[in-house]
Amino acid sequence: MGHKSGFVNILGNPNVGKSTLMNLLVGERLSVITPKAQTTRHRTMGILSGDDYQIVYSDTPGILNPKYKLQAAMMRSVESALEDADLIIYVTDVVETVSKNEAQLTRILNNEVPKIIVVNKIDLTTQEELEKIVAKWEEMAPGVPILPVSALNRFNTDMLLREVIECLPEGPPYFPKDQLTDRYERFFVSEIIRGKIFETYQKEIPYSVEVEIESFKEEPALTRISAVIYTARDSQKGIIIGHKGSMLKRVGTGARKEIEEFLGKKVFLELYVKVEHEWRDNPRVLKKFGYL
Ligand code: GDP
Ligand code: MG
């Protein structure tokens, strides 16, 4: 048999485990995972190569009805993932109902591209309940393979990999076989900081923030990084910084450790907070942040 390759795009509602699943399939922590919905903002590629195959996964932001221009831009990256797929993995879980976002789901199911429906988080349910859920999906998507998994417990994920390879067309590799992603280190560093912000603050704050790497200098003994945290309102700046800088310090220490692990090197990290008024609705700023 020849070499197989293709683009496998991971779609689904927010918080079903798309990023967890992609990281697991690729074997690297490429996408930020948090318990909060809408953590993933950009489409991010994760490439898995074997001797006779190359799978180019794309993790996408969850499907939602846009409120801000930012979210509209996030949805365009979901749209593009519908257009260039050789295979779509539609991720759902045992918590959400089959009818959530039905209109979007119908569009995806009507798309001619081959699909696999993955029912994630089966660790949270019983065999009996799971059978009912799978039956509902079979009714909703006749003929589409349905695979129950637990990304958390790595249950059935090897099976998913085999199924994906099975579905891919024959073709040459698209990327060098040792390449893991289409993004640069800087992107992942800013995502790690954003992930820490999601862990540290409540409510609106994580959703109102964008992180930009201002400088990234590699020195022999360490990497010097300075990053700006942009907020949408003046009032948020104080919350981010905290009393005598305590909150920002917490973000900085946590992020630095994770970045050191990611880069395999000592890191000196400086964080600044700036206000970019209502940036989520400002096309100029969205462009600067890489959304448009
Ligand atoms: P995404 O928004 O679809 O990318 O979802 P994430 O990958 O960010 O995961 C959302 C939440 O679900 C996180 O708290 C994950 O730890 C959790 N999660 C992912 N997979 C599983 C699973 O198989 N079982 C359970 N119980 N939780 C999971
Ligand atoms: Mg995600």
Side-chain angles (χ1 to χ4, degrees), residues 169-205:
E170 291 204 1
Y174 292 98
F175 296 92
K177 286 240 164 161
D178 57 358
Q179 188 173 334
L180 263 175
T181 176
D182 60 330
R183 299 258 182 197
Y184 295 102
E185 280 179 342
R186 274 172 177 248
F187 171 73
F188 294 107
V189 167
S190 70
E191 287 289 277
I192 288 171
I193 298 169
R194 223 163 51 75
K196 281 288 160 230
I197 292 169
F198 266 81
E199 283 172 22
T200 309
Y201 305 97
Q202 306 300 315
K203 299 192 184 130
E204 262 297 289
I205 297 282

Side-chain angles (χ1 to χ4, degrees), residues 63-105:
I63 298 162
L64 50 89
N65 295 316
K67 240 180 14 199
Y68 297 100
K69 288 201 174 79
L70 166 67
Q71 294 168 330
M74 283 159 61
M75 285 312 94
R76 278 195 290 279
S77 80
V78 173
E79 286 295 313
S80 74
L82 270 177
E83 282 159 15
D84 64 11
D86 292 300
L87 173 69
I88 289 171
I89 298 183
Y90 184 83
V91 185
T92 173
D93 65 18
V94 299
V95 186
E96 68 175 9
T97 58
V98 175
S99 56
K100 184 168 175 203
N101 261 334
E102 198 170 344
Q104 284 289 355
L105 177 65

